[in-house]
Amino acid sequence: MYRFAPSPTGDMHIGNLRAALINFIRARQEGEDFILRIEDTDRERNIADKEEEIRELLRLFGVSWQHYYVQSENLKFHRQMALRLVSEKRAFACFCTAQDLEAKKQRAKKEGRAYRYDGACENLEGASLLQDERPFVIRLKKPNETMKFKDLIRGELGFEPENIDSFIILRADKTPTYNFACAVDDMLQGVSCIIRGEDHISNTPKQEHIRASLGFEKKMTYAHLPIILNEEGLKMSKREAHSSVRWLLDEGILPEAVANYLLLLGNKTPCEIFTLAEAAEWFDLAKLSKSAAKFDMKKLLQINREHIKRLENARLNALLDLGRDVADLAKFYTQEASTLKEIKEKIQGIFGPKDYAEFKQEAAILKRILAEDGSWENYAQFKQNLMQKSALKGRAFFMPLRILLTGSTCGPELADLYPHIRPFIKELSKDFQ
């Protein structure tokens, strides 16, 4: 069983989407179920409608799931498990105040040592938690041996007990911490393999320790994906526009191109351009690099152009939503435009109002001729006919013709454009001014 467990606290990051795609592919390859779990226990940071947006985005990328969970609905189980650990003396109530803990942290900092919880409340005796009115958190006792686990990308990793510490599993408001809720949910929902970003490596031994403390013996498999760096080689911040999946889509980059690029990052693939279904046939975690991958917008745009060319004409027309069949013309424009947004602007320029400036008389002559004669089989005949009937030549002929056909004073070679613009010649001869 594989899972993707995003939080509804902001736009989906490309690193999160990458993890979702790889989990989905692995589930498909192994004939396992795929879980979508919304981790919404951080109430203060949750954003309205983000839960639905996550589902919408995954569907756009062709990711489906067999099971859907909302983490907060498991709150009663999280609390039951925490109290059970206390009753078994594997966890304990901690009454230390925030001020006490901060003072101890500052002391450790002055002494040049890493702060670790000092066990002040670990062996307290006295009234039961139900009778004690002081606010408290519940801490899990640190392990007494090295926590080891196997990573499919990095090999075996180990963490010493002092690096895990006696960490909090239930807050004073009786909500679970991330690690506790995550570990319990994975256990209850039958997750067998966890694939996520390498920023979670330090969480893994804690989650392993939680499940072991609860008597869960089933072995969990892990793979921690290298982080994605920005184009300057630094960790990509969520504040950077192109880290947002929604932003990339809004800019006119196809979902299949984004997926293609993210699966290509730091990977050895048999081909460069592929679909999610094709990737599922050969994807291998073992071929992923351990090193961080650098995001390259130019490469993503090149891949997007290739996927636009691959689109069925009906879908491309629907995406452009220009009210006419311009798919062939749109694919032609991938030679100088990389996104649906850019292509749409080019085509809108062709069919929209045009500024002929100093060529108004010449343009009027060309329009009259085209309105009567229409188009010719090839550009050579088309050009010869227009030149003969208009008596125009040189710049006075080519510049107004280019504006008439493209809406711009620069662009592709007219001879190359002609076969794609030919079906619209009559329409373009009309006066849109």
mmCIF file with all atom_site columns, all heavy atoms in Angstrom, residues 46-70:
data_model
loop_
_atom_site.group_PDB
_atom_site.id
_atom_site.type_symbol
_atom_site.label_atom_id
_atom_site.label_alt_id
_atom_site.label_comp_id
_atom_site.label_asym_id
_atom_site.label_entity_id
_atom_site.label_seq_id
_atom_site.pdbx_PDB_ins_code
_atom_site.Cartn_x
_atom_site.Cartn_y
_atom_site.Cartn_z
_atom_site.occupancy
_atom_site.B_iso_or_equiv
_atom_site.pdbx_formal_charge
_atom_site.auth_seq_id
_atom_site.auth_comp_id
_atom_site.auth_asym_id
_atom_site.auth_atom_id
_atom_site.pdbx_PDB_model_num
ATOM 1   N N   . ASN A 1 46 ? -4.213  25.558 8.071   1.00 0.00 ? 46 ASN A N   1
ATOM 2   C CA  . ASN A 1 46 ? -5.084  25.047 7.010   1.00 0.00 ? 46 ASN A CA  1
ATOM 3   C C   . ASN A 1 46 ? -5.749  26.191 6.247   1.00 0.00 ? 46 ASN A C   1
ATOM 4   O O   . ASN A 1 46 ? -6.139  27.195 6.838   1.00 0.00 ? 46 ASN A O   1
ATOM 5   C CB  . ASN A 1 46 ? -6.167  24.134 7.589   1.00 0.00 ? 46 ASN A CB  1
ATOM 6   C CG  . ASN A 1 46 ? -5.606  22.818 8.098   1.00 0.00 ? 46 ASN A CG  1
ATOM 7   O OD1 . ASN A 1 46 ? -4.494  22.420 7.748   1.00 0.00 ? 46 ASN A OD1 1
ATOM 8   N ND2 . ASN A 1 46 ? -6.361  22.147 8.938   1.00 0.00 ? 46 ASN A ND2 1
ATOM 9   N N   . ILE A 1 47 ? -5.871  26.022 4.936   1.00 0.00 ? 47 ILE A N   1
ATOM 10  C CA  . ILE A 1 47 ? -6.497  27.034 4.078   1.00 0.00 ? 47 ILE A CA  1
ATOM 11  C C   . ILE A 1 47 ? -7.752  26.442 3.447   1.00 0.00 ? 47 ILE A C   1
ATOM 12  O O   . ILE A 1 47 ? -7.716  25.334 2.901   1.00 0.00 ? 47 ILE A O   1
ATOM 13  C CB  . ILE A 1 47 ? -5.522  27.509 2.982   1.00 0.00 ? 47 ILE A CB  1
ATOM 14  C CG1 . ILE A 1 47 ? -4.270  28.154 3.614   1.00 0.00 ? 47 ILE A CG1 1
ATOM 15  C CG2 . ILE A 1 47 ? -6.205  28.493 2.031   1.00 0.00 ? 47 ILE A CG2 1
ATOM 16  C CD1 . ILE A 1 47 ? -3.203  28.512 2.612   1.00 0.00 ? 47 ILE A CD1 1
ATOM 17  N N   . ALA A 1 48 ? -8.828  27.174 3.524   1.00 0.00 ? 48 ALA A N   1
ATOM 18  C CA  . ALA A 1 48 ? -10.102 26.705 2.959   1.00 0.00 ? 48 ALA A CA  1
ATOM 19  C C   . ALA A 1 48 ? -9.953  26.410 1.473   1.00 0.00 ? 48 ALA A C   1
ATOM 20  O O   . ALA A 1 48 ? -9.254  27.124 0.750   1.00 0.00 ? 48 ALA A O   1
ATOM 21  C CB  . ALA A 1 48 ? -11.188 27.769 3.183   1.00 0.00 ? 48 ALA A CB  1
ATOM 22  N N   . ASP A 1 49 ? -10.581 25.369 1.015   1.00 0.00 ? 49 ASP A N   1
ATOM 23  C CA  . ASP A 1 49 ? -10.639 24.958 -0.398  1.00 0.00 ? 49 ASP A CA  1
ATOM 24  C C   . ASP A 1 49 ? -9.365  24.280 -0.903  1.00 0.00 ? 49 ASP A C   1
ATOM 25  O O   . ASP A 1 49 ? -9.342  23.787 -2.038  1.00 0.00 ? 49 ASP A O   1
ATOM 26  C CB  . ASP A 1 49 ? -10.963 26.141 -1.329  1.00 0.00 ? 49 ASP A CB  1
ATOM 27  C CG  . ASP A 1 49 ? -12.284 26.800 -0.983  1.00 0.00 ? 49 ASP A CG  1
ATOM 28  O OD1 . ASP A 1 49 ? -13.204 26.069 -0.573  1.00 0.00 ? 49 ASP A OD1 1
ATOM 29  O OD2 . ASP A 1 49 ? -12.389 28.031 -1.115  1.00 0.00 ? 49 ASP A OD2 1
ATOM 30  N N   . LYS A 1 50 ? -8.291  24.257 -0.096  1.00 0.00 ? 50 LYS A N   1
ATOM 31  C CA  . LYS A 1 50 ? -7.053  23.613 -0.567  1.00 0.00 ? 50 LYS A CA  1
ATOM 32  C C   . LYS A 1 50 ? -7.214  22.101 -0.680  1.00 0.00 ? 50 LYS A C   1
ATOM 33  O O   . LYS A 1 50 ? -6.572  21.463 -1.513  1.00 0.00 ? 50 LYS A O   1
ATOM 34  C CB  . LYS A 1 50 ? -5.876  23.955 0.351   1.00 0.00 ? 50 LYS A CB  1
ATOM 35  C CG  . LYS A 1 50 ? -5.335  25.357 0.162   1.00 0.00 ? 50 LYS A CG  1
ATOM 36  C CD  . LYS A 1 50 ? -4.778  25.555 -1.235  1.00 0.00 ? 50 LYS A CD  1
ATOM 37  C CE  . LYS A 1 50 ? -4.335  26.984 -1.477  1.00 0.00 ? 50 LYS A CE  1
ATOM 38  N NZ  . LYS A 1 50 ? -3.880  27.207 -2.861  1.00 0.00 ? 50 LYS A NZ  1
ATOM 39  N N   . GLU A 1 51 ? -8.067  21.533 0.158   1.00 0.00 ? 51 GLU A N   1
ATOM 40  C CA  . GLU A 1 51 ? -8.300  20.083 0.100   1.00 0.00 ? 51 GLU A CA  1
ATOM 41  C C   . GLU A 1 51 ? -8.872  19.697 -1.262  1.00 0.00 ? 51 GLU A C   1
ATOM 42  O O   . GLU A 1 51 ? -8.406  18.744 -1.896  1.00 0.00 ? 51 GLU A O   1
ATOM 43  C CB  . GLU A 1 51 ? -9.253  19.674 1.227   1.00 0.00 ? 51 GLU A CB  1
ATOM 44  C CG  . GLU A 1 51 ? -9.509  18.183 1.307   1.00 0.00 ? 51 GLU A CG  1
ATOM 45  C CD  . GLU A 1 51 ? -10.458 17.829 2.450   1.00 0.00 ? 51 GLU A CD  1
ATOM 46  O OE1 . GLU A 1 51 ? -10.485 18.565 3.469   1.00 0.00 ? 51 GLU A OE1 1
ATOM 47  O OE2 . GLU A 1 51 ? -11.167 16.824 2.306   1.00 0.00 ? 51 GLU A OE2 1
ATOM 48  N N   . GLU A 1 52 ? -9.866  20.455 -1.715  1.00 0.00 ? 52 GLU A N   1
ATOM 49  C CA  . GLU A 1 52 ? -10.466 20.181 -3.017  1.00 0.00 ? 52 GLU A CA  1
ATOM 50  C C   . GLU A 1 52 ? -9.475  20.459 -4.141  1.00 0.00 ? 52 GLU A C   1
ATOM 51  O O   . GLU A 1 52 ? -9.429  19.750 -5.142  1.00 0.00 ? 52 GLU A O   1
ATOM 52  C CB  . GLU A 1 52 ? -11.727 21.022 -3.206  1.00 0.00 ? 52 GLU A CB  1
ATOM 53  C CG  . GLU A 1 52 ? -12.377 20.890 -4.581  1.00 0.00 ? 52 GLU A CG  1
ATOM 54  C CD  . GLU A 1 52 ? -12.670 19.457 -4.987  1.00 0.00 ? 52 GLU A CD  1
ATOM 55  O OE1 . GLU A 1 52 ? -13.051 18.630 -4.120  1.00 0.00 ? 52 GLU A OE1 1
ATOM 56  O OE2 . GLU A 1 52 ? -12.498 19.146 -6.189  1.00 0.00 ? 52 GLU A OE2 1
ATOM 57  N N   . GLU A 1 53 ? -8.655  21.494 -3.975  1.00 0.00 ? 53 GLU A N   1
ATOM 58  C CA  . GLU A 1 53 ? -7.664  21.828 -4.999  1.00 0.00 ? 53 GLU A CA  1
ATOM 59  C C   . GLU A 1 53 ? -6.655  20.702 -5.159  1.00 0.00 ? 53 GLU A C   1
ATOM 60  O O   . GLU A 1 53 ? -6.222  20.391 -6.283  1.00 0.00 ? 53 GLU A O   1
ATOM 61  C CB  . GLU A 1 53 ? -6.940  23.128 -4.635  1.00 0.00 ? 53 GLU A CB  1
ATOM 62  C CG  . GLU A 1 53 ? -5.963  23.584 -5.718  1.00 0.00 ? 53 GLU A CG  1
ATOM 63  C CD  . GLU A 1 53 ? -5.292  24.896 -5.373  1.00 0.00 ? 53 GLU A CD  1
ATOM 64  O OE1 . GLU A 1 53 ? -5.933  25.945 -5.571  1.00 0.00 ? 53 GLU A OE1 1
ATOM 65  O OE2 . GLU A 1 53 ? -4.143  24.867 -4.905  1.00 0.00 ? 53 GLU A OE2 1
ATOM 66  N N   . ILE A 1 54 ? -6.259  20.066 -4.062  1.00 0.00 ? 54 ILE A N   1
ATOM 67  C CA  . ILE A 1 54 ? -5.328  18.939 -4.122  1.00 0.00 ? 54 ILE A CA  1
ATOM 68  C C   . ILE A 1 54 ? -5.924  17.815 -4.962  1.00 0.00 ? 54 ILE A C   1
ATOM 69  O O   . ILE A 1 54 ? -5.267  17.253 -5.845  1.00 0.00 ? 54 ILE A O   1
ATOM 70  C CB  . ILE A 1 54 ? -4.993  18.430 -2.699  1.00 0.00 ? 54 ILE A CB  1
ATOM 71  C CG1 . ILE A 1 54 ? -4.118  19.457 -1.964  1.00 0.00 ? 54 ILE A CG1 1
ATOM 72  C CG2 . ILE A 1 54 ? -4.287  17.069 -2.751  1.00 0.00 ? 54 ILE A CG2 1
ATOM 73  C CD1 . ILE A 1 54 ? -3.977  19.186 -0.474  1.00 0.00 ? 54 ILE A CD1 1
ATOM 74  N N   . ARG A 1 55 ? -7.184  17.490 -4.699  1.00 0.00 ? 55 ARG A N   1
ATOM 75  C CA  . ARG A 1 55 ? -7.845  16.427 -5.456  1.00 0.00 ? 55 ARG A CA  1
ATOM 76  C C   . ARG A 1 55 ? -7.943  16.786 -6.946  1.00 0.00 ? 55 ARG A C   1
ATOM 77  O O   . ARG A 1 55 ? -7.695  15.952 -7.819  1.00 0.00 ? 55 ARG A O   1
ATOM 78  C CB  . ARG A 1 55 ? -9.245  16.161 -4.893  1.00 0.00 ? 55 ARG A CB  1
ATOM 79  C CG  . ARG A 1 55 ? -9.244  15.584 -3.494  1.00 0.00 ? 55 ARG A CG  1
ATOM 80  C CD  . ARG A 1 55 ? -10.606 14.999 -3.135  1.00 0.00 ? 55 ARG A CD  1
ATOM 81  N NE  . ARG A 1 55 ? -11.630 16.022 -3.064  1.00 0.00 ? 55 ARG A NE  1
ATOM 82  C CZ  . ARG A 1 55 ? -12.027 16.616 -1.937  1.00 0.00 ? 55 ARG A CZ  1
ATOM 83  N NH1 . ARG A 1 55 ? -11.457 16.294 -0.778  1.00 0.00 ? 55 ARG A NH1 1
ATOM 84  N NH2 . ARG A 1 55 ? -12.981 17.524 -1.946  1.00 0.00 ? 55 ARG A NH2 1
ATOM 85  N N   . GLU A 1 56 ? -8.297  18.051 -7.205  1.00 0.00 ? 56 GLU A N   1
ATOM 86  C CA  . GLU A 1 56 ? -8.433  18.515 -8.588  1.00 0.00 ? 56 GLU A CA  1
ATOM 87  C C   . GLU A 1 56 ? -7.108  18.411 -9.341  1.00 0.00 ? 56 GLU A C   1
ATOM 88  O O   . GLU A 1 56 ? -7.057  17.934 -10.484 1.00 0.00 ? 56 GLU A O   1
ATOM 89  C CB  . GLU A 1 56 ? -8.923  19.969 -8.588  1.00 0.00 ? 56 GLU A CB  1
ATOM 90  C CG  . GLU A 1 56 ? -9.010  20.604 -9.964  1.00 0.00 ? 56 GLU A CG  1
ATOM 91  C CD  . GLU A 1 56 ? -9.023  22.125 -9.905  1.00 0.00 ? 56 GLU A CD  1
ATOM 92  O OE1 . GLU A 1 56 ? -9.441  22.687 -8.879  1.00 0.00 ? 56 GLU A OE1 1
ATOM 93  O OE2 . GLU A 1 56 ? -8.602  22.745 -10.890 1.00 0.00 ? 56 GLU A OE2 1
ATOM 94  N N   . LEU A 1 57 ? -6.029  18.846 -8.706  1.00 0.00 ? 57 LEU A N   1
ATOM 95  C CA  . LEU A 1 57 ? -4.717  18.807 -9.352  1.00 0.00 ? 57 LEU A CA  1
ATOM 96  C C   . LEU A 1 57 ? -4.278  17.378 -9.634  1.00 0.00 ? 57 LEU A C   1
ATOM 97  O O   . LEU A 1 57 ? -3.772  17.073 -10.721 1.00 0.00 ? 57 LEU A O   1
ATOM 98  C CB  . LEU A 1 57 ? -3.672  19.511 -8.480  1.00 0.00 ? 57 LEU A CB  1
ATOM 99  C CG  . LEU A 1 57 ? -3.734  21.040 -8.452  1.00 0.00 ? 57 LEU A CG  1
ATOM 100 C CD1 . LEU A 1 57 ? -2.755  21.596 -7.435  1.00 0.00 ? 57 LEU A CD1 1
ATOM 101 C CD2 . LEU A 1 57 ? -3.446  21.619 -9.829  1.00 0.00 ? 57 LEU A CD2 1
ATOM 102 N N   . LEU A 1 58 ? -4.466  16.492 -8.671  1.00 0.00 ? 58 LEU A N   1
ATOM 103 C CA  . LEU A 1 58 ? -4.065  15.105 -8.875  1.00 0.00 ? 58 LEU A CA  1
ATOM 104 C C   . LEU A 1 58 ? -4.834  14.484 -10.041 1.00 0.00 ? 58 LEU A C   1
ATOM 105 O O   . LEU A 1 58 ? -4.259  13.744 -10.847 1.00 0.00 ? 58 LEU A O   1
ATOM 106 C CB  . LEU A 1 58 ? -4.271  14.296 -7.597  1.00 0.00 ? 58 LEU A CB  1
ATOM 107 C CG  . LEU A 1 58 ? -3.335  14.642 -6.426  1.00 0.00 ? 58 LEU A CG  1
ATOM 108 C CD1 . LEU A 1 58 ? -3.679  13.803 -5.211  1.00 0.00 ? 58 LEU A CD1 1
ATOM 109 C CD2 . LEU A 1 58 ? -1.868  14.432 -6.808  1.00 0.00 ? 58 LEU A CD2 1
ATOM 110 N N   . ARG A 1 59 ? -6.121  14.784 -10.138 1.00 0.00 ? 59 ARG A N   1
ATOM 111 C CA  . ARG A 1 59 ? -6.907  14.263 -11.259 1.00 0.00 ? 59 ARG A CA  1
ATOM 112 C C   . ARG A 1 59 ? -6.374  14.784 -12.591 1.00 0.00 ? 59 ARG A C   1
ATOM 113 O O   . ARG A 1 59 ? -6.328  14.060 -13.587 1.00 0.00 ? 59 ARG A O   1
ATOM 114 C CB  . ARG A 1 59 ? -8.384  14.655 -11.099 1.00 0.00 ? 59 ARG A CB  1
ATOM 115 C CG  . ARG A 1 59 ? -9.089  13.937 -9.948  1.00 0.00 ? 59 ARG A CG  1
ATOM 116 C CD  . ARG A 1 59 ? -10.592 14.218 -9.980  1.00 0.00 ? 59 ARG A CD  1
ATOM 117 N NE  . ARG A 1 59 ? -11.247 13.777 -8.757  1.00 0.00 ? 59 ARG A NE  1
ATOM 118 C CZ  . ARG A 1 59 ? -11.670 14.587 -7.792  1.00 0.00 ? 59 ARG A CZ  1
ATOM 119 N NH1 . ARG A 1 59 ? -11.508 15.904 -7.912  1.00 0.00 ? 59 ARG A NH1 1
ATOM 120 N NH2 . ARG A 1 59 ? -12.254 14.102 -6.712  1.00 0.00 ? 59 ARG A NH2 1
ATOM 121 N N   . LEU A 1 60 ? -5.987  16.076 -12.627 1.00 0.00 ? 60 LEU A N   1
ATOM 122 C CA  . LEU A 1 60 ? -5.420  16.653 -13.848 1.00 0.00 ? 60 LEU A CA  1
ATOM 123 C C   . LEU A 1 60 ? -4.175  15.901 -14.293 1.00 0.00 ? 60 LEU A C   1
ATOM 124 O O   . LEU A 1 60 ? -3.905  15.779 -15.488 1.00 0.00 ? 60 LEU A O   1
ATOM 125 C CB  . LEU A 1 60 ? -5.057  18.124 -13.624 1.00 0.00 ? 60 LEU A CB  1
ATOM 126 C CG  . LEU A 1 60 ? -6.154  19.167 -13.760 1.00 0.00 ? 60 LEU A CG  1
ATOM 127 C CD1 . LEU A 1 60 ? -5.624  20.542 -13.392 1.00 0.00 ? 60 LEU A CD1 1
ATOM 128 C CD2 . LEU A 1 60 ? -6.698  19.185 -15.189 1.00 0.00 ? 60 LEU A CD2 1
ATOM 129 N N   . PHE A 1 61 ? -3.430  15.394 -13.334 1.00 0.00 ? 61 PHE A N   1
ATOM 130 C CA  . PHE A 1 61 ? -2.192  14.678 -13.640 1.00 0.00 ? 61 PHE A CA  1
ATOM 131 C C   . PHE A 1 61 ? -2.410  13.181 -13.838 1.00 0.00 ? 61 PHE A C   1
ATOM 132 O O   . PHE A 1 61 ? -1.454  12.436 -13.998 1.00 0.00 ? 61 PHE A O   1
ATOM 133 C CB  . PHE A 1 61 ? -1.156  14.931 -12.539 1.00 0.00 ? 61 PHE A CB  1
ATOM 134 C CG  . PHE A 1 61 ? -0.492  16.270 -12.657 1.00 0.00 ? 61 PHE A CG  1
ATOM 135 C CD1 . PHE A 1 61 ? -1.053  17.386 -12.071 1.00 0.00 ? 61 PHE A CD1 1
ATOM 136 C CD2 . PHE A 1 61 ? 0.671   16.423 -13.397 1.00 0.00 ? 61 PHE A CD2 1
ATOM 137 C CE1 . PHE A 1 61 ? -0.467  18.638 -12.207 1.00 0.00 ? 61 PHE A CE1 1
ATOM 138 C CE2 . PHE A 1 61 ? 1.263   17.660 -13.536 1.00 0.00 ? 61 PHE A CE2 1
ATOM 139 C CZ  . PHE A 1 61 ? 0.701   18.777 -12.947 1.00 0.00 ? 61 PHE A CZ  1
ATOM 140 N N   . GLY A 1 62 ? -3.656  12.761 -13.816 1.00 0.00 ? 62 GLY A N   1
ATOM 141 C CA  . GLY A 1 62 ? -3.951  11.353 -14.050 1.00 0.00 ? 62 GLY A CA  1
ATOM 142 C C   . GLY A 1 62 ? -3.728  10.462 -12.854 1.00 0.00 ? 62 GLY A C   1
ATOM 143 O O   . GLY A 1 62 ? -3.627  9.237  -12.991 1.00 0.00 ? 62 GLY A O   1
ATOM 144 N N   . VAL A 1 63 ? -3.643  11.060 -11.658 1.00 0.00 ? 63 VAL A N   1
ATOM 145 C CA  . VAL A 1 63 ? -3.427  10.288 -10.428 1.00 0.00 ? 63 VAL A CA  1
ATOM 146 C C   . VAL A 1 63 ? -4.774  9.992  -9.779  1.00 0.00 ? 63 VAL A C   1
ATOM 147 O O   . VAL A 1 63 ? -5.526  10.911 -9.451  1.00 0.00 ? 63 VAL A O   1
ATOM 148 C CB  . VAL A 1 63 ? -2.519  11.060 -9.443  1.00 0.00 ? 63 VAL A CB  1
ATOM 149 C CG1 . VAL A 1 63 ? -2.414  10.317 -8.120  1.00 0.00 ? 63 VAL A CG1 1
ATOM 150 C CG2 . VAL A 1 63 ? -1.137  11.264 -10.058 1.00 0.00 ? 63 VAL A CG2 1
ATOM 151 N N   . SER A 1 64 ? -5.073  8.718  -9.597  1.00 0.00 ? 64 SER A N   1
ATOM 152 C CA  . SER A 1 64 ? -6.320  8.307  -8.945  1.00 0.00 ? 64 SER A CA  1
ATOM 153 C C   . SER A 1 64 ? -5.988  7.542  -7.670  1.00 0.00 ? 64 SER A C   1
ATOM 154 O O   . SER A 1 64 ? -4.855  7.096  -7.476  1.00 0.00 ? 64 SER A O   1
ATOM 155 C CB  . SER A 1 64 ? -7.154  7.434  -9.886  1.00 0.00 ? 64 SER A CB  1
ATOM 156 O OG  . SER A 1 64 ? -6.401  6.302  -10.302 1.00 0.00 ? 64 SER A OG  1
ATOM 157 N N   . TRP A 1 65 ? -6.971  7.387  -6.813  1.00 0.00 ? 65 TRP A N   1
ATOM 158 C CA  . TRP A 1 65 ? -6.723  6.716  -5.536  1.00 0.00 ? 65 TRP A CA  1
ATOM 159 C C   . TRP A 1 65 ? -7.884  5.778  -5.214  1.00 0.00 ? 65 TRP A C   1
ATOM 160 O O   . TRP A 1 65 ? -9.023  5.993  -5.634  1.00 0.00 ? 65 TRP A O   1
ATOM 161 C CB  . TRP A 1 65 ? -6.521  7.743  -4.416  1.00 0.00 ? 65 TRP A CB  1
ATOM 162 C CG  . TRP A 1 65 ? -7.587  8.801  -4.370  1.00 0.00 ? 65 TRP A CG  1
ATOM 163 C CD1 . TRP A 1 65 ? -8.751  8.786  -3.661  1.00 0.00 ? 65 TRP A CD1 1
ATOM 164 C CD2 . TRP A 1 65 ? -7.604  10.040 -5.108  1.00 0.00 ? 65 TRP A CD2 1
ATOM 165 N NE1 . TRP A 1 65 ? -9.479  9.933  -3.893  1.00 0.00 ? 65 TRP A NE1 1
ATOM 166 C CE2 . TRP A 1 65 ? -8.810  10.715 -4.778  1.00 0.00 ? 65 TRP A CE2 1
ATOM 167 C CE3 . TRP A 1 65 ? -6.720  10.638 -6.017  1.00 0.00 ? 65 TRP A CE3 1
ATOM 168 C CZ2 . TRP A 1 65 ? -9.141  11.955 -5.315  1.00 0.00 ? 65 TRP A CZ2 1
ATOM 169 C CZ3 . TRP A 1 65 ? -7.058  11.866 -6.561  1.00 0.00 ? 65 TRP A CZ3 1
ATOM 170 C CH2 . TRP A 1 65 ? -8.244  12.524 -6.207  1.00 0.00 ? 65 TRP A CH2 1
ATOM 171 N N   . GLN A 1 66 ? -7.569  4.741  -4.452  1.00 0.00 ? 66 GLN A N   1
ATOM 172 C CA  . GLN A 1 66 ? -8.584  3.775  -4.032  1.00 0.00 ? 66 GLN A CA  1
ATOM 173 C C   . GLN A 1 66 ? -9.135  4.092  -2.643  1.00 0.00 ? 66 GLN A C   1
ATOM 174 O O   . GLN A 1 66 ? -10.226 3.656  -2.287  1.00 0.00 ? 66 GLN A O   1
ATOM 175 C CB  . GLN A 1 66 ? -8.008  2.353  -4.020  1.00 0.00 ? 66 GLN A CB  1
ATOM 176 C CG  . GLN A 1 66 ? -7.755  1.758  -5.392  1.00 0.00 ? 66 GLN A CG  1
ATOM 177 C CD  . GLN A 1 66 ? -6.581  2.390  -6.119  1.00 0.00 ? 66 GLN A CD  1
ATOM 178 O OE1 . GLN A 1 66 ? -5.504  2.563  -5.542  1.00 0.00 ? 66 GLN A OE1 1
ATOM 179 N NE2 . GLN A 1 66 ? -6.783  2.761  -7.374  1.00 0.00 ? 66 GLN A NE2 1
ATOM 180 N N   . HIS A 1 67 ? -8.372  4.841  -1.853  1.00 0.00 ? 67 HIS A N   1
ATOM 181 C CA  . HIS A 1 67 ? -8.788  5.160  -0.486  1.00 0.00 ? 67 HIS A CA  1
ATOM 182 C C   . HIS A 1 67 ? -8.522  6.639  -0.222  1.00 0.00 ? 67 HIS A C   1
ATOM 183 O O   . HIS A 1 67 ? -7.489  7.167  -0.627  1.00 0.00 ? 67 HIS A O   1
ATOM 184 C CB  . HIS A 1 67 ? -8.014  4.319  0.541   1.00 0.00 ? 67 HIS A CB  1
ATOM 185 C CG  . HIS A 1 67 ? -8.061  2.848  0.252   1.00 0.00 ? 67 HIS A CG  1
ATOM 186 N ND1 . HIS A 1 67 ? -9.125  2.052  0.586   1.00 0.00 ? 67 HIS A ND1 1
ATOM 187 C CD2 . HIS A 1 67 ? -7.154  2.039  -0.364  1.00 0.00 ? 67 HIS A CD2 1
ATOM 188 C CE1 . HIS A 1 67 ? -8.878  0.807  0.197   1.00 0.00 ? 67 HIS A CE1 1
ATOM 189 N NE2 . HIS A 1 67 ? -7.701  0.777  -0.383  1.00 0.00 ? 67 HIS A NE2 1
ATOM 190 N N   . TYR A 1 68 ? -9.459  7.288  0.468   1.00 0.00 ? 68 TYR A N   1
ATOM 191 C CA  . TYR A 1 68 ? -9.317  8.718  0.774   1.00 0.00 ? 68 TYR A CA  1
ATOM 192 C C   . TYR A 1 68 ? -9.554  8.924  2.263   1.00 0.00 ? 68 TYR A C   1
ATOM 193 O O   . TYR A 1 68 ? -10.571 8.472  2.811   1.00 0.00 ? 68 TYR A O   1
ATOM 194 C CB  . TYR A 1 68 ? -10.343 9.528  -0.029  1.00 0.00 ? 68 TYR A CB  1
ATOM 195 C CG  . TYR A 1 68 ? -10.238 11.010 0.186   1.00 0.00 ? 68 TYR A CG  1
ATOM 196 C CD1 . TYR A 1 68 ? -9.229  11.741 -0.416  1.00 0.00 ? 68 TYR A CD1 1
ATOM 197 C CD2 . TYR A 1 68 ? -11.157 11.687 0.988   1.00 0.00 ? 68 TYR A CD2 1
ATOM 198 C CE1 . TYR A 1 68 ? -9.127  13.118 -0.209  1.00 0.00 ? 68 TYR A CE1 1
ATOM 199 C CE2 . TYR A 1 68 ? -11.070 13.048 1.188   1.00 0.00 ? 68 TYR A CE2 1
ATOM 200 C CZ  . TYR A 1 68 ? -10.045 13.755 0.581   1.00 0.00 ? 68 TYR A CZ  1
ATOM 201 O OH  . TYR A 1 68 ? -9.943  15.107 0.781   1.00 0.00 ? 68 TYR A OH  1
ATOM 202 N N   . TYR A 1 69 ? -8.601  9.573  2.930   1.00 0.00 ? 69 TYR A N   1
ATOM 203 C CA  . TYR A 1 69 ? -8.717  9.815  4.372   1.00 0.00 ? 69 TYR A CA  1
ATOM 204 C C   . TYR A 1 69 ? -8.447  11.284 4.672   1.00 0.00 ? 69 TYR A C   1
ATOM 205 O O   . TYR A 1 69 ? -7.656  11.939 3.989   1.00 0.00 ? 69 TYR A O   1
ATOM 206 C CB  . TYR A 1 69 ? -7.701  8.974  5.160   1.00 0.00 ? 69 TYR A CB  1
ATOM 207 C CG  . TYR A 1 69 ? -7.847  7.485  4.999   1.00 0.00 ? 69 TYR A CG  1
ATOM 208 C CD1 . TYR A 1 69 ? -6.984  6.766  4.180   1.00 0.00 ? 69 TYR A CD1 1
ATOM 209 C CD2 . TYR A 1 69 ? -8.832  6.778  5.695   1.00 0.00 ? 69 TYR A CD2 1
ATOM 210 C CE1 . TYR A 1 69 ? -7.097  5.390  4.032   1.00 0.00 ? 69 TYR A CE1 1
ATOM 211 C CE2 . TYR A 1 69 ? -8.956  5.397  5.553   1.00 0.00 ? 69 TYR A CE2 1
ATOM 212 C CZ  . TYR A 1 69 ? -8.092  4.713  4.719   1.00 0.00 ? 69 TYR A CZ  1
ATOM 213 O OH  . TYR A 1 69 ? -8.221  3.354  4.582   1.00 0.00 ? 69 TYR A OH  1
ATOM 214 N N   . VAL A 1 70 ? -9.100  11.772 5.705   1.00 0.00 ? 70 VAL A N   1
ATOM 215 C CA  . VAL A 1 70 ? -8.810  13.102 6.255   1.00 0.00 ? 70 VAL A CA  1
ATOM 216 C C   . VAL A 1 70 ? -8.288  12.863 7.667   1.00 0.00 ? 70 VAL A C   1
ATOM 217 O O   . VAL A 1 70 ? -8.969  12.264 8.501   1.00 0.00 ? 70 VAL A O   1
ATOM 218 C CB  . VAL A 1 70 ? -10.064 13.991 6.280   1.00 0.00 ? 70 VAL A CB  1
ATOM 219 C CG1 . VAL A 1 70 ? -9.754  15.336 6.934   1.00 0.00 ? 70 VAL A CG1 1
ATOM 220 C CG2 . VAL A 1 70 ? -10.600 14.198 4.860   1.00 0.00 ? 70 VAL A CG2 1
#
